[in-house]
Amino acid sequence: MLDTLIEAFSGPGSPFMYAITAALAFGIAVLIERCWIFWIRWKLDTTALLSALDSSNLNEAGELNPAHPACRLVQAGKNATSSDAAWSAMATQAPLIESAVRQRVPYLATVGNLSTMLGLLGTVYGLIIAFSGLSDTSAIETQTQLNEGIATAMATTAWGLIVGIPALGLHALLEAKAGRIQALCEATAARVAEQRQSSN
């Protein structure tokens, strides 16, 4: 199968194979960037954060990882003098934080869908090549055209699915991680507002 896929890059279906490969490269770049953001740059001890919030130590909570969205919310609301003021301060940050969390995550779903569609388009193109060979008068030419068309159809389909299926799976993984970060941010905001209310 690997040999067939490699040969397809120089056959009639090469435009589709290279287009799917370009989508793969883009998807890998998005995956690396989001994984670095989610698991390295935004690495956070959730237990320590919630413990600091519960003990009214907002300064410590905000400094655990200033780059993390939850800590940014703490920084926004910690100096508020009331619960309403804390909610207002955090509300101004919420859209920016949500945008940062969800940034580029949908691109992986786009890569998955686009790769699959490009593979399907390559399939149709390969079948057109195969069926157009049926009109050839020479049996050898007909057989060659059929083989070439079917090989193109199968190779582009396989390559599109090989790229598309993992991309959709990885999109689901990143989407779940983004959802957990947003849930933590919501819990953090509620605790900060509660602490501001109890401090009055």
Side-chain angles (χ1 to χ4, degrees):
M1 179 179 177
L2 181 60
D3 292 339
T4 303
L5 290 175
I6 293 173
E7 290 173 4
F9 280 92
S10 58
S14 60
F16 304 101
M17 299 295 286
Y18 282 110
I20 295 169
T21 303
L24 171 63
F26 178 72
I28 290 173
V30 170
L31 177 65
I32 291 172
E33 187 268 345
R34 286 289 91 186
C35 286
W36 181 78
I37 291 289
F38 286 167
W39 281 280
I40 298 176
R41 188 173 180 220
W42 289 355
K43 187 176 182 180
L44 179 67
D45 187 343
T46 305
T47 304
L49 173 67
L50 297 178
S51 176
L53 290 171
D54 289 339
S55 61
S56 301
N57 196 340
L58 298 185
N59 287 325
E60 179 186 338
E63 294 299 328
L64 286 173
N65 183 353
H68 194 281
C71 294
R72 286 168 57 188
L73 281 175
V74 174
Q75 294 283 4
K78 71 177 183 177
N79 294 323
T81 56
S82 67
S83 177
D84 289 341
W87 278 119
S88 296
M90 290 184 290
T92 60
Q93 290 293 318
L96 299 175
I97 287 174
E98 182 177 3
S99 176
V101 172
R102 297 289 177 182
Q103 191 175 22
R104 286 184 283 278
V105 171
Y107 291 170
L108 275 179
T110 302
V111 167
N113 292 326
L114 186 61
S115 299
T116 305
M117 292 299 102
L118 285 169
L120 180 59
L121 185 58
T123 304
V124 174
Y125 181 67
L127 292 176
I128 291 172
I129 293 174
F131 290 135
S132 66
L134 296 177
S135 61
D136 292 336
T137 55
S138 170
I140 296 176
E141 290 180 2
T142 299
Q143 187 64 39
T144 301
Q145 196 88 346
L146 276 172
N147 290 341
E148 189 176 64
I150 293 173
T152 297
M154 295 300 101
T156 54
T157 303
W159 188 229
L161 292 175
I162 287 170
V163 173
I165 292 172
L168 291 174
L170 291 168
H171 169 259
L173 175 68
L174 293 184
E175 189 68 33
K177 178 63 175 178
R180 289 194 295 272
I181 292 173
Q182 283 194 292
L184 177 62
C185 289
E186 291 170 6
T188 298
R191 278 176 164 83
V192 171
E194 182 182 348
Q195 294 299 333
R196 291 298 86 196
Q197 184 175 14
S198 63
S199 65
N200 293 334

